[in-house]
Every structure is written in structure tokens, then in C-alpha cells.
Amino acid sequence: MPKVKKNRSSAANAAPYSATSSSSSSNYTTTTTSRNGGAQQAKVTSGGSASLITPNTSIGQHFLKNPAVVTAIVEKAGLKPTDIVLEVGPGTGNMTVPILQRVKRVVAIEYDKRMVREVIKRVESTPEQNKLQVIQGDCMKVAFPFFDVCVANIPYQISSGLTFKLLAHRPMFRCAVIMFQEEFALRLSARPGESLYCRLSVNTQLLAKVDQLMKVGRNNFRPPPKVESRVVRIEVRKPPPPVNFTEWDGMVKLLFNRKNKTLRSVLLTKTTIRMLEENMKTHEALQGSGGGAGGGGGVENIGSLGDMNDWVDEDGDGDGDGDGDGDEGKNKIKGNKGKKKKKEEDSDDEEMMADGNSNSNSNSNSNSNSNSNSNSKNSNSGNAKAESRVRTIIERVLSEEKYVSTRTAKMDIDDFLELLAKFNAAGIHFA
């Protein structure tokens, strides 16, 4: 009697993070119940169950598939039964489920609607179902709720922005245990003198203590990323340092543009002196009008520290573009007649400056040229005096023995704070 070959589907026995296939096509609606009892419905069209758990690498999805690594991360987070945990990018829920078994509640923020459905399906009809709240959206745009601990395996392209959004979050949380790209993770905790020490290192360590927990190989993910990964623990410093974070970042960004040069070489360039001169005039004008000079260490400025697309390449010259663009807005004259007249005068002045050494054929042009040269000399004289004042202040601050040969790459947090305080006291501002 011939044997009958049975068709066995592997889908039923597939791991939660494994893709399954189906020849049928269906539409369905997922419903996420929010904490306040409302419901959010998302209609998802799929070509079968495979699309539910197939990672979308274009948005940085790489599922952590090794249960041993998941267990180690959850253990190192030091979770308590009373904790509320924020998880960014839960994916299929491989890490969400073991976290739910240890804490009071998990708030998961997921961008991909397919994964929202998948993570909810993982806890359906289980004791953990009522402990999970899923928010569908972009974590960089969604307001974070209150939480005690953040545990996350994130898309690496949002590493910097998410880090500083967390550091700016209030009320403060206990700690964050996050998977980062290896180089980014090592830069977070790099020390002065190390090759990876950079602006990211200084800004992060100003606000938090960073510990390296474990290295995770690329083969622990599906699909494997192109880089190795590391898990770090971030503990926010309480209270935050009393510093103007916008001005702090202005100084740090300027100095790290050429971190292996001496402070004198970086700060005494013409471009830098011109920028500091403008900042000085602005602050003096604000003080004169009773507006104050800014100051303060408000947490609303911490988020600006995350705008660092240059955390890898910090060898730029630090020069800005657009010099002179601001004058156009200042010189606008109301009325068509006034605009036309001003345009003609500007045009004449430009031609005279371009051809300042040529002889004029008319008396009017000669007088205009003379006046223009006179105004230009006065303006240049005023700028020269202001630049000389800025240069003098910088040289006086850097004349101290500890700064004579100091390079940015060798400075620690206390050195940067002390230097900023001395410059501010002398009237030099970086924002």
C-alpha cells in the first residue's frame, strides 16, 4: 500500500520572530486599547501573515532573536515589580514579554503598524495583556509618558536624537538600558585622550553617567545589521548642572571642530573672532535694554544637544555659510519708490567698491565714491576695535598656564565648565 505524504506547515511551530508564509490575502483591523479606555483602530492590508513579522530594514528594523541576550538585557535593567517601563521599538515583542512579567506596566512606542498588531497578539489572553499599552507613532514626535526605566533595542539612525530626548525628559527616570551601534555606544563613554572622545561624549557625560554593559554580535539579529552592537546603561545626573546648554554646546561644537589643535589655534581665527564679536554685541544690547543675557540651565535647551549629525566626522573647519545675508533684511525700505532708489544706491556702491581705484568721470560719482570710502573706513575701524577687544579677552583667558598648550581632546567636563565660566565672566558668549 503506497504511503501518503502529509503536508505539514511549519508556520504553527515557527518562532515569534520568524517569518511565515501564506498564499491567501486578507484585510483586517487591529485595535489598540489605550490607558484611558479609548480605542485606536488601524487597518492593515497584508499578503498573508508573512508581512506581519518581516523586518523592514529601511526603517532600521533588526529583530533581536537570541533569547539569552534578551534575558541578559532584562536582568541588567534592574527592574522592580512597581516599575513602569518605556520600550521604544518593541518589534514582535521578544523583549516586551519578559519585561511585562517583571514590572507593573509597559508603555511601548512602535512606528510600524504591523508590529503593533504583532506585539499585542503576543500577550492576548495572558495575565500580561492588561499591563501593556502600545502607542503607534514616531518616538521622536510622540510625547513620552512618565516612566521609571527605559529598555530598548532602537533603530540606530535615531540614536543621538533619542538619547538627548530621554535626557531632557521630566520627571527624571531611574535609568535607560539601550542597544546602540557599537561605535556610537563607545563614544558615549569615551574619556579625554581616547580616539573616540568627541562632542557626543562631552554632552552626554555632562548630563549622565554611562556604563558599557555588554557587546552583542550582529548574528544575534534577524536580519544581521552591518555593524556590531553594544548595550549601555544611562543614569541621569540629579540635579542637572547649572549651565546654559545652548551656549555650552556652542563652545563645545566650536572646540571639537579641531579637537587636536590648541585652544589658542581654534579660538583666535578671524572667523571665530568675528562670530564672538557679534555675540558680544548682541548680549550687550540685551543687557542695555533690560532683557538680560539669557543664561540659565533650563531643560528646554537640552534637546538642542542632540542635533549632532557630525558625531562621527568632527574634522570640519567650523566656518559657517551665509556671511552678509542678514544685511538684506535690515536694509529693506518701504514703498516702491524707496526700494527702487535704495537698489540703485546699492548698485552704485557695489560698482564703486569693485572699481575703487579707477577715476570717475562725473563729480557726483566722485563725491559718492569719497563718501563710500569714508563710511567704509569708519566701519572697518569700528569692527577692528571690536575684534581687537575680543582678541584681547581671549588671549587674557588663555594666558593662564593650564591653557597655554591645552588641546580640546585632552579636556574633561570640569575643564569645559571652568573655561565657559571664565569666558562668560569676561563677556565672551558662544550663543
Side-chain angles (χ1 to χ4, degrees):
M1 181 176 180
K3 295 182 179 181
V4 178
K5 188 175 181 181
K6 297 182 180 179
N7 291 327
R8 294 183 179 180
S9 173
S10 61
N13 298 322
Y17 45 80
S18 299
T20 58
S21 61
S22 173
S23 59
S24 62
S25 177
S26 61
N27 294 342
Y28 54 86
T29 301
T30 65
T31 303
T32 304
T33 303
S34 63
R35 187 181 178 188
N36 58 10
Q40 176 186 8
Q41 290 189 336
K43 189 174 183 181
V44 183
T45 302
S46 74
S49 58
S51 64
L52 275 177
I53 46 181
T54 300
N56 183 354
T57 56
S58 66
I59 58 174
Q61 284 182 349
H62 294 274
F63 299 149
L64 183 58
K65 67 180 184 178
N66 189 335
V69 175
V70 171
T71 301
I73 293 174
V74 175
E75 289 286 347
K76 293 178 183 296
L79 300 176
K80 302 176 182 179
T82 57
D83 281 343
I84 296 175
V85 174
L86 175 69
E87 185 180 11
V88 177
T92 59
N94 291 345
M95 195 154 57
T96 310
V97 173
I99 293 175
L100 280 168
Q101 294 168 352
R102 295 169 178 252
V103 301
K104 179 181 179 181
R105 188 161 59 90
V106 172
V107 180
I109 302 177
E110 175 57 62
Y111 179 81
D112 192 338
K113 292 181 180 179
R114 302 173 307 146
M115 300 305 149
V116 170
R117 177 68 187 95
E118 187 65 23
V119 72
I120 292 174
K121 187 172 69 175
R122 287 287 295 272
V123 297
E124 282 179 345
S125 302
T126 69
E128 287 74 36
Q129 181 175 0
N130 295 327
K131 297 165 62 175
L132 175 64
Q133 177 190 356
V134 181
I135 301 174
Q136 194 276 315
D138 185 345
C139 70
M140 297 308 299
K141 299 177 181 179
V142 171
F144 288 167
F146 169 84
F147 63 95
D148 299 295
V149 179
C150 176
V151 182
N153 170 30
I154 66 170
Y156 292 157
Q157 60 261 39
I158 64 170
S159 296
S160 180
L162 178 62
T163 298
F164 288 96
K165 182 173 181 178
L166 286 170
L167 293 177
H169 179 71
R170 297 296 182 272
M172 291 182 176
F173 53 94
R174 189 167 73 246
C175 73
V177 176
I178 305 177
M179 181 96 68
F180 289 119
Q181 176 183 340
E182 183 175 36
E183 184 182 353
F184 183 92
L186 291 174
R187 286 179 181 271
L188 288 176
S189 60
R191 308 303 300 169
E194 296 178 357
S195 60
L196 293 178
Y197 189 59
C198 63
R199 175 179 162 223
L200 174 67
S201 314
V202 173
N203 283 341
T204 304
Q205 293 169 34
L206 172 72
L207 300 166
K209 177 186 176 184
V210 181
D211 295 314
Q212 301 290 329
L213 297 183
M214 58 188 294
K215 181 176 179 178
V216 182
R218 66 187 71 184
N219 291 328
N220 292 289
F221 299 87
R222 184 184 66 82
K226 296 180 180 179
V227 295
E228 301 294 320
S229 303
R230 277 185 176 267
V231 179
V232 304
R233 180 186 178 93
I234 301 175
E235 296 182 29
V236 183
R237 299 190 187 279
K238 303 176 182 179
V243 62
N244 183 318
F245 298 110
T246 304
E247 184 151 344
W248 161 273
D249 191 47
M251 182 188 75
V252 170
K253 183 176 182 180
L254 177 65
L255 296 180
F256 270 102
N257 276 335
R258 295 191 294 168
K259 70 176 184 179
N260 293 315
K261 300 290 185 180
T262 62
L263 297 179
R264 184 183 179 87
S265 298
V266 177
L267 294 173
L268 290 178
T269 63
K270 290 183 179 180
T271 303
T272 301
I273 291 176
R274 192 179 304 118
M275 181 268 291
L276 296 177
E277 173 206 340
E278 291 298 322
N279 290 349
M280 178 181 285
K281 289 179 180 178
T282 300
H283 280 260
E284 289 176 347
L286 289 173
Q287 289 177 338
S289 63
V299 296
E300 66 274 5
N301 292 328
I302 294 179
S304 65
L305 304 185
D307 299 330
M308 48 179 95
N309 296 323
D310 57 346
W311 64 266
V312 173
D313 182 9
E314 294 183 317
D315 297 323
D317 57 9
D319 294 343
D321 295 325
D323 290 344
D325 291 345
D327 292 340
E328 293 180 2
K330 298 177 183 179
N331 294 331
K332 287 182 179 179
I333 299 177
K334 294 182 179 180
N336 293 333
K337 185 174 181 180
K339 288 182 180 179
K340 183 177 180 181
K341 182 177 180 181
K342 182 65 179 175
K343 184 180 291 185
E344 291 173 350
E345 291 175 355
D346 290 343
S347 179
D348 290 341
D349 288 343
E350 290 173 2
E351 291 176 0
M352 292 172 190
M353 293 176 66
D355 193 22
N357 296 327
S358 63
N359 294 325
S360 175
N361 293 328
S362 65
N363 290 334
S364 61
N365 285 345
S366 178
N367 291 336
S368 297
N369 193 28
S370 177
N371 292 336
S372 177
N373 289 336
S374 176
N375 293 335
S376 177
K377 288 180 180 179
N378 292 335
S379 177
N380 291 337
S381 175
N383 291 337
K385 289 180 180 180
E387 290 181 9
S388 176
R389 181 170 58 138
V390 171
R391 178 181 290 274
T392 300
I393 294 173
I394 294 175
E395 289 180 338
R396 184 173 72 246
V397 172
L398 297 183
S399 64
E400 296 185 23
E401 183 177 354
K402 65 179 297 183
Y403 296 128
V404 171
S405 59
T406 298
R407 286 169 167 76
T408 303
K410 304 292 184 179
M411 296 174 64
D412 60 20
I413 299 294
D414 291 336
D415 293 331
F416 285 111
L417 287 171
E418 181 181 356
L419 184 63
L420 179 61
K422 289 182 177 180
F423 275 129
N424 286 171
I428 298 294
H429 297 273
F430 295 88

